[in-house]
Amino acid sequence: MGILAIRADERVKDVRFTEETISVDLMDGRTISVPLVWYPILLQATPEQRSQWEVCGGGYGIHWEEIDEDLSTEGMLRGAPAPRVSVMGS
């Protein structure tokens, strides 16, 4: 038997929203909070639609059936906004 190490567990425990942020509680006790403007589909969704999330991807993803949106804890930890967003002028 090897030595047990404390490992990061980036599986989703809970998801909450404020007017400006989405916060995801992870199984290892961390919370990721990112600006809701990073995810235009979620930003434009109603609070009721946002509340209808489910864990997917073996615990590492969040899925919203009604608005067809998916986020991963890995992407959120990397600080990756939705790729289809283009807010910068060219």
Side-chain angles (χ1 to χ4, degrees):
M1 296 240 318
I3 298 171
L4 290 177
I6 296 173
R7 300 186 60 167
D9 187 345
E10 296 169 358
R11 288 177 300 155
V12 176
K13 182 176 180 181
D14 194 21
V15 179
R16 323 184 281 292
F17 291 90
T18 69
E19 288 293 315
E20 299 178 347
T21 64
I22 173 174
S23 297
V24 178
D25 293 333
L26 303 181
M27 291 294 189
D28 64 11
R30 289 181 292 168
T31 299
I32 315 166
S33 293
V34 295
L36 207 44
V37 295
W38 283 13
Y39 309 108
I41 292 173
L42 286 172
L43 182 65
Q44 294 169 17
T46 66
E48 183 181 346
Q49 287 172 321
R50 288 182 202 150
S51 72
Q52 295 176 1
W53 58 274
E54 59 189 36
V55 176
C56 65
Y60 296 93
I62 310 158
H63 176 68
W64 288 264
E65 180 74 34
E66 186 178 341
I67 59 175
D68 192 29
E69 179 72 321
D70 294 279
L71 299 181
S72 71
T73 57
E74 180 188 4
M76 295 179 78
L77 284 165
R78 264 201 333 264
R84 58 191 166 273
V85 178
S86 179
V87 292
M88 304 291 284
S90 29

